[in-house]
């Protein structure tokens, strides 16, 4: 713990220079408050990608050439008959033109049955023609439609890809540049397209793809504001219920709002945007500031009325401020540091979204030092002293919280404590057993964020059912010189690679330049099916490419091969994906690359949605593992430094240690997908609850130094600090519980997970920590000589964790436990020796 003289000096400094401090903080707040107006709630797709991952670097290098992975898909289905009628083809054409006029669309990546890039290749005499399928314009007669239908059946890459095998549905695909999507405009425009096409009662429209998914998310912005508003009102009512004074309401509210303003101001100053999927975390941190404020107010009230009982009218408000903050300073500082640094470790992930969340959230936590630890003594100096004694117990709220805490005192002593400790052991075992089954990215993004019956997921499933698949994996064949793709051996290898990838489950189809080359060569040979092959003669291949470039045009072939025939793509379509599909597709591709080395071409992975997901999942999985290690090591070091005891550090950390695998087990049991959005939220929920343990254990240590009896110290701590923890735990739960009723599945699931974790941390602080202290009766702090050996014994393996596997975290835990047992044995022997000498 911090030396008393330091804490006294800091508090005296605050009260002596209070006007200067208030003026300085006011200027800083006004400056950052003005910057908070610049912040935007928005999703930048590039923030979701790990920029240093080789898959993302490949995607960034070639996306201008081969298109973006951010693809919108629209399915137009007829309720009766097939799509080959004048009315339906014209509706498809109208929808295609509407998508073309949408902000952010890549016009060269817009494809549909009526798109000019969809070509009908024919041989007329000695001439090859490649006109658009809807040539010369929109159909006006059934004969025009018949010509389009024939073109669908006689050209590769259309039937099954853009017209369903049963001919009842047509598909429109459009790539959107990540930096140009206007989600609000996109959502409104797509709904207008759907309404316009469906108003005749003869058609059904299905819209899916990442742009549409995130436009749905942004359509819930008003719901987000409503939930935050309801949460704020309920928390204000709870503050009134607890304190029954205006001061008890506005001071914590001021602390929370000040922290929010400072953090959002810094985010605006740095140009950060807020992703709507992580707003629940920021609301939770704001409530965390309120809870620190409540702890401060509660302890100040307690000390003031204690002095009032002891000194009568001579009770001094300054003495109460000094006494309360001397007790609170250490647990407040260590809890803020533990929370802040634990969240900051999220920045280990090389994903801008997570890094920005880490920077904003950790700074948000650190601002509690300003809004509570620094400003509260000054605020309390100016406001009148409290009139109500919290130990009077006359109000209903006093009786309620006192009765609950008396129950906690009973279960932390005697045989009941064994039940509590056994329950935590069982929770740890359950968590470790089921956490192993949790996989990163095990369901599609839409099903992770929205309910299964949401219009988006219904559209996604329908399109995957009717077509080759809405998700793509793109493999690049990168040549070492111009024209290398024209080599028959290279084309045959591309075709072999294409067939190799089609072995995998959920693959609906594939396409590459070889698909067109085979078809065109067959056309040269009078359409005889046996000539649908890649010719072995380089001259024949050269003729194919020559005809391609002079009829279809380089711009219309850019999704298959570049204009210099140096680079080409293989696109694999998936009807759905999970963890096994994503990892399996990459492994299958790597297997082929390793078994088929080429001198003139290098196969590079991986583009398309599955390539991006593979990169994101790999980064999330790696960073999450190391994030947990850093969190535990950071919290352990801070705890050891605070209590000068490994036993004390282990006692305060065990609820968080148990919460980590338990949270993963809950996610697995509830079917919550572990992904870029959910794992940071879970990590924040694990770390943010350790505050309760610091406040309880610090109060137990303080009371033990006063009375010399562990059980009496536990009772006094629970009946005072425990009251505030019970209230703040309820407040934090309220800050997330209303998100359970949010229309988005992800927000609802995260609210349930955080609610369970917060409840677990409250139980851990009020039941487990007192119970294990009552059982072990630890003695701390230790002498400096012993502590130096303790820190050395734990720091060396902690540093070695960087070079070893994740399982060594368990080894560190066992070593720390062994050191703790040795420390406890030393303290017990020391006490016996002192008694004998006495």
């Amino acid at each position: 713990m911090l030396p008393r003289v330091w804490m006294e000096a800091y508090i005296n400094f605050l009260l002596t220079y209070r006007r200067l401090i208030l003026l300085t903080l006011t200027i800083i707040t006004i400056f950052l408050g003005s910057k908070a107006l610049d912040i935007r709630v928005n999703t930048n797709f590039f923030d979701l990608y790990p920029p240093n991952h080789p898959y993302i670097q490949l995607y960034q290098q070639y996306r201008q050439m081969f298109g973006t992975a951010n693809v919108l898909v629209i399915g137009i289905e007829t309720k009766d008959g097939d799509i080959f009628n004048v009315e339906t083809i014209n509706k498809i054409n109208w929808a295609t033109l509407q998508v073309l006029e949408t902000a952010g669309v890549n016009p060269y990546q817009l494809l549909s049955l009526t798109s000019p890039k969809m070509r009908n290749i024919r041989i007329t005499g000695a001439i090859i023609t490649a006109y658009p399928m809807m040539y010369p314009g929109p159909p006006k007669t059934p004969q025009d439609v018949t010509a389009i239908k024939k073109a669908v059946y006689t050209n590769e890459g259309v039937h099954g890809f853009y017209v369903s095998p049963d001919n009842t549905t047509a598909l429109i695909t459009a790539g959107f540049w990540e930096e140009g999507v206007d989600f609000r405009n996109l959502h409104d425009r797509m709904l207008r397209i759907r309404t316009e096409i469906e108003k005749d009662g003869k058609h059904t429209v299905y819209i899916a793809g990442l742009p549409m998914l995130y436009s749905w998310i942004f359509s819930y912005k008003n719901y987000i504001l409503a939930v935050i508003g309801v949460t704020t009102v309920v928390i204000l009512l709870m503050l009134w219920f607890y304190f029954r004074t205006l001061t008890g309401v506005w001071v914590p509210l001021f602390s929370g709002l000040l922290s929010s303003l400072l953090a959002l101001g810094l985010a605006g100053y740095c140009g950060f945007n807020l992703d709507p999927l992580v707003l629940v975390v920021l609301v939770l941190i704001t409530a965390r500031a309120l809870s620190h404020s409540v702890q401060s107010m509660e302890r100040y009230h307690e000390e003031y009325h204690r002095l009032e009982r002891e000194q009568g009218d001579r009770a001094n408000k300054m003495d109460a401020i000094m006494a309360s903050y001397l007790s609170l300073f250490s647990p407040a500082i260590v809890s803020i540091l533990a929370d802040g640094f634990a969240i900051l470790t999220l920045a280990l992930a090389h994903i801008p979204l997570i890094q920005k969340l880490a920077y904003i959230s950790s700074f948000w936590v650190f601002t509690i030092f300003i809004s509570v630890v620094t400003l509260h003594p000054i605020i309390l100096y100016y406001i009148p002293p409290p009139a109500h004694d919290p130990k009077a117990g006359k109000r209903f709220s006093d009786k309620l919280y006192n009765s609950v805490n008396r129950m906690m005192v009973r279960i932390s002593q005697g045989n009941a404590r064994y039940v509590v400790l056994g329950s935590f052991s069982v929770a740890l075992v359950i968590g470790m057993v089921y956490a192993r089954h949790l996989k990163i990215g095990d369901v599609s993004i839409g099903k992770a964020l929205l309910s299964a019956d949401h219009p988006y997921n219904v559209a996604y499933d329908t399109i995957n059912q009717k077509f080759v698949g809405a998700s793509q994996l793109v493999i690049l064949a990168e040549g070492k010189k111009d024209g290398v793709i024209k080599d028959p051996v290279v084309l045959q290898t591309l075709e072999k690679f294409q067939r190799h990838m089609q072995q995998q489950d959920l693959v609906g189809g594939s396409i590459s330049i070889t698909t067109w080359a085979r078809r065109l060569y067959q056309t040269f040979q009078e359409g005889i099916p046996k000539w649908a092959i890649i010719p072995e003669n380089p001259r024949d291949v050269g003729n194919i490419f020559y005809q391609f470039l002079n009829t279809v045009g380089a711009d219309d072939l850019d999704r298959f091969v570049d204009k210099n025939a140096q680079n080409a793509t293989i696109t694999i379509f998936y009807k759905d994906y999970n963890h096994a599909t994503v990892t399996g597709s990459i492994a299958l591709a790597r297997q082929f690359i390793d078994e088929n080395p080429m001198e003139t071409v290098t196969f590079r992975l991986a583009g398309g949605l599955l390539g991006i997901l593979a990169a994101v999942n790999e980064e999330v999985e790696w960073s999450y593992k190391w994030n947990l290690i850093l969190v535990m090591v950071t919290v352990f070091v801070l705890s050891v430094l605070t209590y000068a005891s490994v036993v004390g550090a282990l006692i305060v950390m065990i609820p968080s240690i148990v919460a980590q695998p338990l949270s993963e087990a809950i996610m697995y049991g509830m079917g919550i997908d572990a992904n870029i959005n959910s794992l940071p939220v879970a990590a924040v929920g694990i770390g943010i609850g350790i505050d309760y343990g610091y406040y309880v254990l610090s109060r137990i240590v303080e009371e033990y130094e006063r009375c010399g009896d562990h059980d009496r110290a536990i009772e006094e701590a629970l009946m005072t600090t425990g009251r505030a923890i019970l209230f703040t735990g309820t407040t934090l739960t309220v800050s997330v519980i209303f998100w359970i009723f949010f229309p988005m599945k992800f927000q609802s699931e995260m609210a349930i997970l955080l609610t369970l974790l917060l409840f677990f941390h409250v139980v851990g602080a009020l039941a487990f920590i007192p119970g294990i202290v009552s059982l072990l009766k630890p003695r701390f702090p230790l002498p400096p000589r012993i502590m130096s050996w303790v820190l050395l014994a734990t720091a060396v393996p902690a540093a070695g964790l960087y070079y070893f596997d994740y399982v060594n975290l368990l080894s560190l835990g066992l070593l720390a436990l062994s050191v703790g047992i040795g420390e406890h044995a030393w303290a017990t022997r020391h006490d016996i020796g002192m008694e004998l000498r006495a």
Side-chain angles (χ1 to χ4, degrees), residues 44 60 104 130 136 173 200 233 299 342 371 419 433 500 504 562 624 707 750 795 822:
N44 182 345
Q60 291 274 40
T173 65
D200 62 2
V233 171
R299 188 58 190 267
S371 63
V419 176
V433 168
H500 174 79
Q504 195 178 10
D562 63 10
Y624 181 64
C707 67
M750 288 300 98

Side-chain angles (χ1 to χ4, degrees), residues 486-504:
K486 298 178 184 180
D487 185 339
V489 175
V490 172
L491 287 175
Q492 289 166 4
T493 305
L494 287 177
E495 186 176 40
K496 184 180 176 182
F497 201 163
Q498 194 174 336
R499 290 174 179 171
H500 174 79
M501 294 301 296
Q502 287 182 317
Q503 303 173 40
Q504 195 178 10

Side-chain angles (χ1 to χ4, degrees), residues 46 49 51 55-64 178:
F46 283 127
Y49 306 160
Y55 300 169
I56 303 302
Q57 291 179 338
L58 173 71
Y59 172 69
Q60 291 274 40
Q61 182 180 352
Y62 286 99
R63 75 181 183 116
Q64 294 286 346
E178 284 88 348

Side-chain angles (χ1 to χ4, degrees), residues 168-224:
T168 61
T169 311
L171 190 69
I172 303 170
T173 65
F176 280 78
W177 299 118
E178 284 88 348
E179 58 269 44
V181 183
D182 182 345
F183 293 111
R184 178 178 297 178
N185 174 63
L186 178 65
H187 185 263
D188 294 342
R189 196 174 190 85
M190 291 303 108
L191 292 188
R192 284 198 302 269
I193 291 174
R194 187 178 69 183
T195 303
E196 181 65 25
I197 294 177
E198 290 182 344
K199 72 180 182 180
D200 62 2
K202 300 177 183 179
H203 299 83
T204 305
V205 177
Y206 304 98
I207 309 175
L210 275 185
M212 191 61 193
L213 174 61
Y214 277 86
S215 72
W216 272 111
I217 293 171
F218 275 84
S219 71
Y220 294 122
K221 187 179 292 186
N222 291 335
Y223 284 95
I224 294 174

Side-chain angles (χ1 to χ4, degrees), residues 752-831:
I752 295 173
L753 177 64
L754 289 174
T755 299
L756 293 175
L757 287 175
L758 290 171
F759 174 78
F760 182 83
H761 278 296
V762 171
V763 173
L766 299 182
F768 176 83
I769 290 178
I772 199 169
V773 168
S774 176
L775 179 66
L776 296 180
K777 295 182 170 29
R779 308 290 195 272
F780 41 81
L782 288 178
R785 178 175 60 87
I786 301 297
M787 272 310 303
S788 63
W789 285 103
V790 168
L791 289 173
L792 181 63
T794 53
V796 172
L801 274 174
Y802 184 80
Y803 300 99
F804 295 98
D805 193 70
Y806 181 40
V807 295
N808 281 345
L809 183 62
L810 179 62
S811 303
L812 176 63
L814 293 175
L815 177 61
L817 181 62
S818 301
V819 174
I821 293 172
E823 172 196 316
H824 181 64
W826 178 90
T828 303
R829 190 179 69 176
H830 176 75
D831 288 349

Side-chain angles (χ1 to χ4, degrees), residues 561-577:
V561 63
D562 63 10
K563 62 183 180 180
N564 298 321
Q566 180 178 355
N567 305 302
T569 61
I570 301 172
T571 303
I572 316 298
F573 293 85
Y574 290 81
K575 288 183 172 292
D576 201 351
Y577 56 86

